[in-house]
Amino acid sequence: MQPLPKEYNFGEIERKWQQRWEEMGIHHYDWNDSKRPAFSIDTPPPYPSGELHMGNVLNWTYFDMVARYKRMRGFNVLFPQGWDCHGLGIEIQVEKANNIRKRDLPPDQFRKMCMTLVEKYIAVMKEGILNLGCSIDWNTEYRTMDPDYWRRTQLSFIQLHKKGYMYQGTHPVNWCPHDETAIADAEVDYVKREGVLHYVRFQLEGTHEHMMIATSRPEFIPACVAIEVNPEDARYMKYIGKVILVPIVGRSVPVIADECVDPGFGTGVVMICTYGDKEDVKTVIKHKLPVIMLLTEGGRINENGGKYQGLTANQARAAIVQDLTAAGLLEKTEKIMQEVGVCDRCKAHVEILERKQWFMKTRELTEAVEKAANEVIWYPDYMKARLVDWAKSLDWDWVISRQRLFATPIPVWLCKTCGELIVAEADWVPIDPKLEGPRITKCPKCGGKEFVGERDVFDTWMDSSITCAVHAGWPDRSDWHRLFPASIHPSGTDIIRTWAYYLMVRHLALFDEPAYRSVLINGMVLGQDGRKMSKSLKNYVAAPEALGKYGADAIRQWAAGGGATGSDIPFRIQDVEYGRRFLVKLWNVSGFTNKLLVDYQPGKEGHMDLQPLDKWILSKMENTTKKVTDAFEKCQFNIALEEIRNFTWHVFCDAYVEAVKDRLYRPEVHGQEQKVAAQTTLDKVLFRILQLLSPVAPHLTEEIYQTLYAEAKGAKSLQQLPWPQFDETLVNNRVERRGDIIVELIGEVRREKAEKRMPLNSQVRTLTIYAGDQSAAEAIGDAESDITGALKVEKVVVLPEEGSGREVVQFPSIHFIAEYQAAGPK
Ligand SMILES: [Zn+2]
Ligand SMILES: [Zn+2]
């Protein structure tokens, strides 16, 4: 055995092991191993943002602890890593960085600029993930922008089209006028904003009567197709079925009745426009109203807006309000707080436009999603409701087409002559229909020979919602079901409605099977002040800096121990520093133990005489093992870590090591067999601590293992040794209770020495203990060797009766009187 260096240099140790593990290849999934059970982690491919933030650190620590724990449990673990490259975010950043609009460049050139930026961002994030010590199988690395991944996304579309799940239709869709693309419900954020309610007079046709309408979007007046009131509203009953004139445009529209109208909001009269909001969409469908599209894809008023054509929505509002005022039709205005939908990327006000789009029939799968969600195991369980509620809340099918450039193309064409839709065959993909025609000689319907390639592309979620199958090897490996459904899908509280949902609905549609068997949920990382971490709140912590300053093993302890799985976790420096101190403590006690074991040869130790405290700690070690194992099984990382740290710090370091030192220093007093018993126990307990802590703090535990244990244990890494089995034969409640008495008694005498300002090793001439009863007296008597050794007692007198003297706090029936040797040179 070589000695451990005195100083714990985490930077050097962590870098060393990250490299060595990679060289050893011990984190690779073995595709040829059919003996071990397989365990697949559906690592969500992150969207390259150019920085690893503390939220990523929390997520990756979670998955990595699962991966390491499962490997030690004997599983062949697939821990892949991909990058979800496409998306609006990258397009926007490329436009900003180069001060261009994407439509100004040839699409290929713009795509290349996006790819360059993505590669730069991936490099930064990858370095962060490596520095965190994640045990990823880097052989699996993939990018959704690669042709090979396009192939999979496109193939899944072709299969779903064959199964009848894909359709093209003209439907209202959420539309970002800034980015000029359709967006999904999940990409709409709702924010509270101050708006203005305009009270506008609408005249009843052929009369001098009018109805008062309160609207926050008067710019939509030119697209008004009906007026709506509640049928129970006594004020307006008489107008139902009458015709009303829309001001400014002079169009006649009906007054209709619907119980959805809230008589208490505004004036109780609602203007139905196509489309001011999602409620308008529902009303138009329900009452079969006509549609007058008012906005262009860029969010300006179109030809249906008459004199307002060409204005932005905001400009049109100002102009219409001015015209209403001039005509004496604006009664009054008042400020209101309202919730408006904004684009989650650019924050532009989301409009509703009708446009031809591709859809996936997701709503008809809602029941199947709910059933699957109920069969999946959720960590924590209460998060299940979020998926079910979201699936049930969806009004529209999933719009899967986007009007962007940096994305996977939709592999379809239209016949130029007859308009027939040609969908690519499975063996044509990957293919870009903008650059290549369909691989047929003529249109199967009309014989035409010219085709127009689809210009729309897929929503990014179409790429990233097939990962459970892709990770497993679909569609190329015949044995991909070995790894499917994914054993665990990690998701965040903020992406259940996207990642967890899209994965589930997509795999159910494709394979009639759920995507995953369990879901591991992480909460959000909050700043030190408990608010959402953000640069503008000045509570932002950059992960690379934190990793550089404290090391991965300390940061990982924050992630594991910061709070219950699924809850939001503040980034507390105190947690990281506590983690750091714990590692130093473990490092120091390992170095110290190493010295005490210098003449110890495991397997050749000879006869030993286990003392009560040896049995006590072995029993506690087994109970801790059981609790930690149960906690890891339930992904309760904070409980696992707390158990390990408590056991290590308080039971092992503070109590046991201190109590048995004397046995190891002075075998001539206590006997060789007692020394061997202590050595064997130290060796066993320290090793167990390393094993239990290894999923959380892999670097430090590996370093200590390599220095102290590798030679004897024979495995080239601590992670290759099996997870400890709970040994019930070592558990003994009576032994633990008796050991607790001894530990508390020793602690109380030490406290007295400290209070008297005496050194801890000062001699006690006589220690008289009033045990209170016979059984406590026996417990204390049996441990005399450790009591005298730990407290430097010359003579111990144990009496079974109650007595006077200092009380042992935890065991108030026990008292003692210590007579100290006079101070001075011995
Ligand atoms: Zn946008
Ligand atoms: Zn044709």
Side-chain angles (χ1 to χ4, degrees):
M1 254 191 267
Q2 35 177 318
L4 275 179
K6 209 168 156 39
E7 289 293 318
Y8 161 49
N9 184 338
F10 65 85
E12 206 177 281
I13 289 171
E14 291 184 355
R15 263 193 311 279
K16 176 177 79 183
W17 286 112
Q18 286 156 12
Q19 273 173 19
R20 294 266 277 273
W21 290 330
E22 199 51 40
E23 286 157 17
M24 288 185 218
I26 56 171
H27 300 143
H28 293 171
Y29 175 76
D30 186 348
W31 294 91
N32 300 318
D33 178 355
S34 54
K35 286 206 188 89
R36 282 179 298 165
F39 187 89
S40 57
I41 296 173
D42 177 43
T43 321
Y47 188 68
S49 65
E51 69 180 325
L52 192 79
H53 53 76
M54 291 313 296
N56 298 133
V57 167
L58 178 72
N59 306 164
W60 264 259
T61 303
Y62 275 17
F63 333 148
D64 190 54
M65 289 188 293
V66 172
R68 289 176 181 275
Y69 170 72
K70 288 291 177 181
R71 273 191 213 102
M72 292 173 87
R73 289 302 306 244
F75 288 88
N76 186 10
V77 173
L78 174 70
F79 186 9
Q81 186 63 64
W83 305 97
D84 187 15
C85 309
H86 293 134
L88 202 48
I90 294 289
E91 290 189 4
I92 292 171
Q93 289 183 53
V94 167
E95 285 184 327
K96 266 193 196 155
N98 300 285
N99 199 20
I100 48 163
R101 288 292 283 177
K102 56 192 155 197
R103 317 247 180 247
D104 305 341
L105 293 182
D108 253 20
Q109 201 181 326
F110 185 75
R111 275 188 53 84
K112 282 211 181 83
M113 290 169 89
C114 292
M115 290 173 85
T116 308
L117 183 69
V118 164
E119 285 299 346
K120 196 174 113 190
Y121 283 178
I122 288 176
V124 176
M125 293 184 82
K126 186 170 174 178
E127 198 191 334
I129 292 172
L130 286 167
N131 289 343
L132 190 59
C134 293
S135 59
I136 286 162
D137 179 352
W138 289 102
N139 286 343
T140 63
E141 192 178 1
Y142 63 91
R143 287 158 171 73
T144 59
M145 66 185 179
D146 289 348
D148 184 61
Y149 202 95
W150 276 20
R151 175 174 67 94
R152 297 166 200 260
T153 304
Q154 292 182 329
L155 181 64
S156 76
F157 169 81
I158 294 166
Q159 293 188 352
L160 287 175
H161 189 268
K162 284 211 172 96
K163 291 182 86 172
Y165 281 109
M166 296 297 181
Y167 67 95
Q168 231 179 345
T170 303
H171 279 260
V173 289
N174 299 306
W175 188 271
C176 174
H178 174 264
D179 299 315
E180 296 191 31
T181 179
I183 59 176
D185 279 348
E187 291 166 301
V188 180
D189 282 341
Y190 288 91
V191 295
K192 281 230 185 310
R193 268 191 199 166
E194 195 180 78
V196 179
L197 210 49
H198 301 77
Y199 287 78
V200 184
R201 269 193 281 272
F202 279 49
Q203 196 191 342
L204 278 142
E205 201 173 56
T207 74
H208 293 291
E209 282 183 82
H210 69 261
M211 292 175 85
M212 189 77 77
I213 284 154
T215 173
S216 62
R217 301 204 73 188
E219 65 271 29
F220 272 93
I221 286 178
C224 173
V225 293
I227 297 298
E228 195 180 34
V229 296
N230 191 300
E232 306 290 314
D233 193 334
R235 294 173 294 177
Y236 305 121
M237 273 178 191
K238 58 183 178 209
Y239 298 127
I240 295 168
K242 296 247 159 69
V243 174
I244 204 159
L245 286 173
V246 179
I248 310 256
V249 290
R251 187 184 313 118
S252 305
V253 301
V255 179
I256 60 173
D258 198 303
E259 54 277 5
C260 298
V261 176
D262 172 10
F265 178 78
T267 59
V269 188
V270 177
M271 165 174 97
I272 305 302
C273 304
T274 49
Y275 294 100
D277 58 27
K278 276 182 118 173
E279 286 307 308
D280 289 339
V281 177
K282 284 186 201 162
T283 312
V284 167
I285 295 166
K286 190 168 163 189
H287 296 274
K288 299 194 172 59
L289 297 168
V291 174
I292 300 169
M293 285 313 302
L294 188 67
L295 296 179
T296 66
E297 294 182 355
R300 288 178 185 271
I301 306 291
N302 66 17
E303 64 281 3
N304 292 329
K307 65 184 260 210
Y308 307 107
Q309 183 174 0
L311 300 182
T312 64
N314 281 341
Q315 289 166 342
R317 179 181 319 168
I320 287 177
V321 166
Q322 203 172 32
D323 291 348
L324 288 170
T325 311
L329 296 172
L330 186 66
E331 175 84 7
K332 61 169 178 172
T333 59
E334 63 188 34
K335 286 188 174 155
I336 49 156
M337 282 311 288
Q338 55 183 173
E339 201 171 60
V340 296
V342 298
C343 168
D344 72 349
R345 295 277 172 214
C346 75
K347 306 300 169 203
H349 191 143
V350 171
E351 299 289 0
I352 295 167
L353 254 58
E354 256 191 5
R355 197 186 179 282
K356 205 169 188 193
Q357 298 285 356
W358 280 96
F359 293 84
M360 178 175 162
K361 288 182 190 167
T362 43
R363 279 176 311 165
E364 65 184 50
L365 287 160
T366 298
E367 254 178 59
V369 169
E370 187 181 359
K371 184 170 171 276
N374 283 316
E375 283 162 10
V376 162
I377 300 166
W378 292 76
Y379 306 108
D381 187 60
Y382 65 87
M383 288 291 172
K384 179 196 300 179
R386 295 209 184 185
L387 180 62
V388 173
D389 292 350
W390 173 255
K392 285 175 156 176
S393 78
L394 291 169
D395 300 321
W396 299 346
D397 278 336
W398 176 14
V399 47
I400 58 161
S401 49
R402 294 290 184 275
Q403 293 65 47
R404 294 192 286 97
L405 291 172
F406 186 47
T408 306
I410 302 177
V412 300
W413 298 260
L414 292 180
C415 168
K416 216 170 181 176
T417 318
C418 74
E420 176 76 352
L421 175 76
I422 314 290
V423 177
E425 293 295 330
D427 57 353
W428 301 0
V429 294
I431 194 163
D432 186 347
K434 291 191 285 299
L435 306 177
E436 258 188 88
R439 293 181 195 160
I440 49 176
T441 50
K442 56 184 201 297
C443 168
K445 196 170 163 197
C446 75
K449 293 199 166 145
E450 282 187 274
F451 304 93
V452 185
E454 175 67 88
R455 300 200 69 80
D456 283 2
V457 293
F458 284 124
D459 174 10
T460 312
W461 289 106
M462 281 290 284
D463 297 334
S464 50
S465 59
I466 49 170
T467 53
C468 295
V470 169
H471 293 157
W474 175 86
D476 305 320
R477 294 189 65 96
S478 57
D479 61 349
W480 69 277
H481 259 90
R482 209 168 122 63
L483 288 160
F484 182 84
S487 310
I488 197 161
H489 164 66
S491 204
T493 48
D494 57 333
I495 52 172
I496 292 174
R497 67 178 189 174
T498 47
W499 226 312
Y501 171 73
Y502 286 140
L503 278 169
M504 189 53 90
V505 81
R506 196 85 177 289
H507 288 86
L508 281 170
L510 272 169
F511 310 114
D512 302 308
E513 276 183 88
Y516 40 79
R517 297 181 203 279
S518 67
V519 185
L520 168 59
I521 300 289
N522 63 268
M524 302 294 100
V525 174
L526 307 175
Q528 183 95 342
D529 54 5
R531 291 189 292 174
K532 192 176 176 232
M533 192 181 268
S534 93
K535 282 176 183 159
S536 60
L537 291 174
K538 303 216 184 317
N539 61 0
Y540 185 84
V541 177
E545 273 171 43
L547 281 166
K549 190 167 173 199
Y550 297 99
D553 283 352
I555 299 278
R556 290 169 65 106
Q557 284 181 77
W558 157 75
T565 302
S567 63
D568 290 349
I569 295 177
F571 183 74
R572 281 179 296 247
I573 289 293
Q574 307 91 286
D575 287 5
V576 181
E577 279 171 350
Y578 181 77
R580 188 63 218 294
R581 284 201 304 279
F582 172 71
L583 297 173
V584 171
K585 183 87 188 171
L586 179 57
W587 180 262
N588 290 341
V589 83
S590 300
F592 183 66
T593 305
N594 190 26
K595 281 185 211 142
L596 299 176
L597 295 180
V598 79
D599 58 347
Y600 173 71
Q601 286 182 299
K604 296 178 199 150
E605 53 278 270
H607 191 66
M608 63 175 151
D609 179 13
L610 285 175
Q611 292 300 294
L613 282 188
D614 301 328
K615 293 179 192 159
W616 168 80
I617 197 166
L618 290 172
S619 179
K620 284 198 181 275
M621 173 184 86
E622 290 304 334
N623 275 328
T624 303
T625 302
K626 185 169 191 304
K627 284 181 197 156
V628 171
T629 306
D630 287 351
F632 272 124
E633 284 294 323
K634 293 177 192 152
C635 294
Q636 293 170 335
F637 310 115
N638 58 327
I639 295 175
L641 180 60
E642 200 183 306
E643 288 291 339
I644 301 165
R645 289 202 295 211
N646 260 331
F647 177 77
T648 307
W649 205 309
H650 304 300
V651 179
F652 185 61
C653 298
D654 290 352
Y656 183 75
V657 175
E658 290 303 322
V660 301
K661 261 188 218 167
D662 204 64
R663 267 199 262 158
L664 293 149
Y665 289 151
R666 299 195 300 159
E668 67 281 6
V669 175
H670 302 277
Q672 182 64 21
E673 279 120 6
Q674 284 199 18
K675 175 182 168 182
V676 173
Q679 283 184 320
T680 308
T681 309
L682 278 173
D683 183 68
K684 204 168 177 171
V685 175
L686 179 61
F687 181 64
R688 182 67 56 90
I689 289 169
L690 298 180
Q691 284 183 299
L692 298 180
L693 186 63
S694 145
V696 185
H699 307 88
L700 178 109
T701 49
E702 182 79 289
E703 177 74 12
I704 299 173
Y705 167 78
Q706 297 288 347
T707 317
L708 270 57
Y709 290 98
E711 212 183 301
K713 303 279 180 191
K716 63 179 178 175
S717 165
L718 173 60
Q719 297 153 54
Q720 291 187 314
L721 287 164
W723 185 257
Q725 286 291 314
F726 169 59
D727 182 354
E728 215 178 340
T729 62
L730 292 178
V731 174
N732 186 325
N733 290 335
R734 185 165 170 270
V735 162
E736 281 199 34
R737 212 170 43 245
R738 291 168 61 128
D740 288 343
I741 293 176
I742 296 151
V743 166
E744 290 302 328
L745 173 68
I746 292 174
E748 200 64 51
V749 178
R750 285 169 161 261
R751 270 192 292 280
E752 184 174 85
K753 283 185 180 178
E755 282 163 21
K756 289 180 186 288
R757 299 182 183 280
M758 300 166 76
L760 286 179
N761 63 357
S762 47
Q763 292 281 329
V764 181
R765 197 178 294 147
T766 312
L767 180 64
T768 309
I769 303 160
Y770 298 98
D773 61 47
Q774 190 60 41
S775 98
E778 268 169 34
I780 294 165
D782 283 352
E784 199 179 312
S785 186
D786 285 336
I787 294 172
T788 55
L791 296 171
K792 310 284 175 240
V793 181
E794 277 167 28
K795 189 180 168 201
V796 182
V797 181
V798 188
L799 301 165
E801 65 251 34
E802 302 216 358
S804 58
R806 186 175 171 119
E807 178 188 294
V808 177
V809 174
Q810 300 294 326
F811 296 94
S813 58
I814 303 173
H815 295 76
F816 65 84
I817 297 167
E819 288 168 45
Y820 296 97
Q821 194 116 348
K826 209 179 145 189

